[in-house]
Amino acid sequence: MKLNIACISGDGIGPEIVAEAKKVLNATCEKYGHEIEYTDVLMGGCSIDAYGVPLTDETIDICKKSDAVLMGSIGGDTTTSPWYKLEPSLRPEAGLLKIRKALNLFANLRPAFLYSELKEACPLKSETAEKGFDMLIMRELTGGLYFGDRSTKEIDGELVAKDSLEYKESEIRRIAIKAFEVARQRNKKVISVDKANVLDSSRLWRKVTEEVAVAYPDVTLEHMLVDNCAMQIVKNPSQFDVVLTENMFGDILSDEASMVTGSIGMLPSASLNETSFGLYEPSHGSAPDIAGKDIANPIATILSAAMMLKYTFKLDKEAKAIEDAVQKTLQEGYRTSDLLGCGDVSEDKKCGCKRMGDLIAERII
Ligand code: NAD
């Protein structure tokens, strides 16, 4: 297969971690007989420096013509970087919002998986961590409270602020379909999270999700109220496979789910549209405090590349080869500096970004 990938290395540690993800992708494609072509484009602070704007139309065009986008991270130190003296629409993050909109990326997937090798970093009770967990939060990204009408008005001598939460059936249906499709590639269970005991939008969410479920008899659907879900992620995370939810609930629950894994450098993400196209990036930011030092953990970006193989190219075997290589490297005791709290690590097992990338690439089988 030929894979056409647009590559946004971005700012800070972005170029370092993307280089390692490319290294692992190249090793995988070589092993499994695929051809891979990258088109490097700028977004974020580096695009501001080159073109005066965080995202150009040309970059959007190249991304649209590609099968998928692999991204590092964008942005700089928000207190010292000159990029943050610009008006908000010209700052690095405006590029990210614009590209998500231009590519119609409405489904955000964030897996939270606890590697048994890293369970000491898990802040949950040891008997809970011992069981492990492998969940994926699927968050609706373009509707709901963050995009509804809002206003602040003075009424009867005091300020009154209002935000509105609106979902159309079509918006719920398309992300529910995505959740069931993704569940079919995982453990075939969807837990849809809402607040149907209070909110009309949640009652519609439940109704449409149940309608969609009819076409997926092999996938189990359960409903859970969002307050209970927040508790269950801490109490019994191993019960979850795909967690489907609206924008604001997903914003909060995905951060909670990622924190229970205990390690920010390990968490990949994907943003998908109605086609097989996706933008794949680590969940963390550009870490300007450690940029250029070869100490960043590249695993979140490497696992994002694995998600790309799985969800855009349907290359499950190849994606698994990357996941297995990551696990093997951790099993053998290699750690980047962010993971040094997880057990005793001998000097020869401490790695920088490049060495970690090399070790994982060498373990692709
Ligand atoms: P951050 O995620 O960049 O860093 C938080 C802490 O985690 C830092 O101490 C950092 O050194 C550490 N860290 C992050 N990734 C790491 C890795 N791979 N290996 C080892 N340590 C790692 O968050 P922040 O400091 O709040 O933000 C920095 C910049 O990143 C800001 O400009 C912010 O806007 C931007 N940002 C971008 C994205 C994105 O590109 N999608 C997401 C979040 C933040």
Side-chain angles (χ1 to χ4, degrees):
M1 181 186 266
K2 172 122 195 259
L3 287 60
N4 283 310
I5 297 170
C7 241
I8 299 174
S9 292
D11 308 312
I13 58 170
E16 299 166 59
I17 53 182
V18 167
E20 299 317 305
K22 280 183 177 175
K23 195 184 274 174
V24 174
L25 270 176
N26 292 344
T28 311
C29 286
E30 201 171 306
K31 247 322 145 340
Y32 288 83
H34 303 298
E35 196 185 329
I36 190 159
E37 193 175 310
Y38 304 101
T39 310
D40 292 308
V41 286
L42 299 182
M43 189 173 96
C46 53
S47 174
I48 297 172
D49 292 344
Y51 307 116
V53 288
L55 179 66
T56 62
D57 291 342
E58 197 197 347
T59 294
I60 296 177
D61 264 3
I62 291 172
C63 292
K64 279 187 177 165
K65 286 185 187 130
S66 307
D67 300 320
V69 179
L70 177 67
M71 195 178 121
S73 45
I74 52 121
D77 185 319
T78 48
T79 48
T80 59
S81 165
W83 299 327
Y84 295 91
K85 304 226 166 13
L86 298 167
E87 65 155 288
S89 68
L90 292 176
R91 291 180 193 173
E93 285 69 16
L96 194 55
L97 296 180
K98 192 171 165 192
I99 203 162
R100 282 182 181 152
K101 191 155 185 236
L103 301 174
N104 193 25
L105 302 171
F106 63 83
N108 181 247
L109 283 64
R110 269 169 68 172
F113 175 75
L114 185 65
Y115 286 89
S116 56
E117 296 76 17
L118 302 181
K119 56 178 183 276
E120 283 174 55
C122 174
L124 302 179
K125 281 189 179 162
S126 56
E127 58 266 32
T128 310
E130 209 52 55
K131 278 206 250 165
F133 52 83
D134 178 6
M135 66 180 122
L136 183 143
I137 310 279
M138 183 171 298
R139 163 188 173 193
E140 202 291 326
L141 208 54
T142 56
L145 203 56
Y146 298 167
F147 291 88
D149 290 339
R150 68 190 83 247
S151 64
T152 306
K153 288 185 195 147
E154 194 174 312
I155 302 176
D156 297 334
E158 63 176 338
L159 288 175
V160 178
K162 189 167 80 179
D163 297 286
S164 42
L165 199 178
E166 189 177 300
Y167 270 108
K168 291 188 198 129
E169 272 185 273
S170 54
E171 289 173 308
I172 304 170
R173 193 173 306 280
R174 66 182 182 177
I175 187 143
I177 290 171
K178 215 44 150 185
F180 282 96
E181 294 289 339
V182 164
R184 269 192 172 155
Q185 286 183 270
R186 292 176 44 96
N187 295 318
K188 300 190 173 54
K189 180 175 172 185
V190 172
I191 294 190
S192 174
V193 173
D194 60 40
K195 190 72 184 167
N197 52 343
V198 181
L199 300 176
D200 260 25
S201 56
S202 284
R203 285 189 274 272
L204 183 61
W205 187 277
R206 226 174 241 221
K207 175 178 174 288
V208 174
T209 308
E210 279 174 6
E211 286 166 11
V212 171
V214 174
Y216 298 87
D218 52 326
V219 179
T220 316
L221 171 68
E222 289 173 25
H223 301 283
M224 192 179 275
L225 295 175
V226 63
D227 37 356
N228 185 28
C229 182
M231 285 193 291
Q232 294 299 327
I233 287 176
V234 175
K235 202 172 154 207
N236 180 15
S238 63
Q239 70 186 290
F240 295 106
D241 177 24
V242 174
V243 176
L244 164 66
T245 193
E246 62 91 48
N247 201 345
M248 185 180 66
F249 297 159
D251 189 7
I252 299 165
L253 294 176
S254 61
D255 267 17
E256 184 192 6
S258 62
M259 279 324 292
V260 296
T261 69
S263 43
I264 192 169
M266 299 289 300
L267 299 163
S269 84
S271 300
L272 309 178
N273 66 19
E274 258 148 346
T275 70
S276 58
F277 182 90
L279 182 147
Y280 299 85
E281 57 174 326
S283 297
H284 58 72
S286 61
D289 52 333
I290 57 166
K293 297 182 179 163
D294 189 33
I295 56 174
N297 184 350
I299 295 180
T301 318
I302 291 169
L303 292 173
S304 301
M307 288 184 84
M308 180 173 80
L309 295 182
K310 184 168 177 154
Y311 294 117
T312 288
F313 298 103
K314 312 286 180 260
L315 296 173
D316 285 12
K317 240 183 343 142
E318 290 81 341
K320 177 99 177 25
I322 295 182
E323 289 163 4
D324 288 350
V326 167
Q327 182 131 32
K328 185 151 196 315
T329 310
L330 294 172
Q331 257 161 16
E332 290 174 27
Y334 293 102
R335 301 283 184 270
T336 43
S337 57
D338 56 311
L339 303 176
L340 289 181
C342 313
D344 291 334
V345 182
S346 60
E347 270 315 305
D348 62 318
K349 299 279 165 141
K350 292 182 185 169
C351 321
C353 184
K354 280 196 190 119
R355 184 161 175 235
M356 185 54 100
D358 286 339
L359 290 163
I360 296 169
E362 284 160 15
R363 282 158 183 72
I364 297 291
I365 48 171

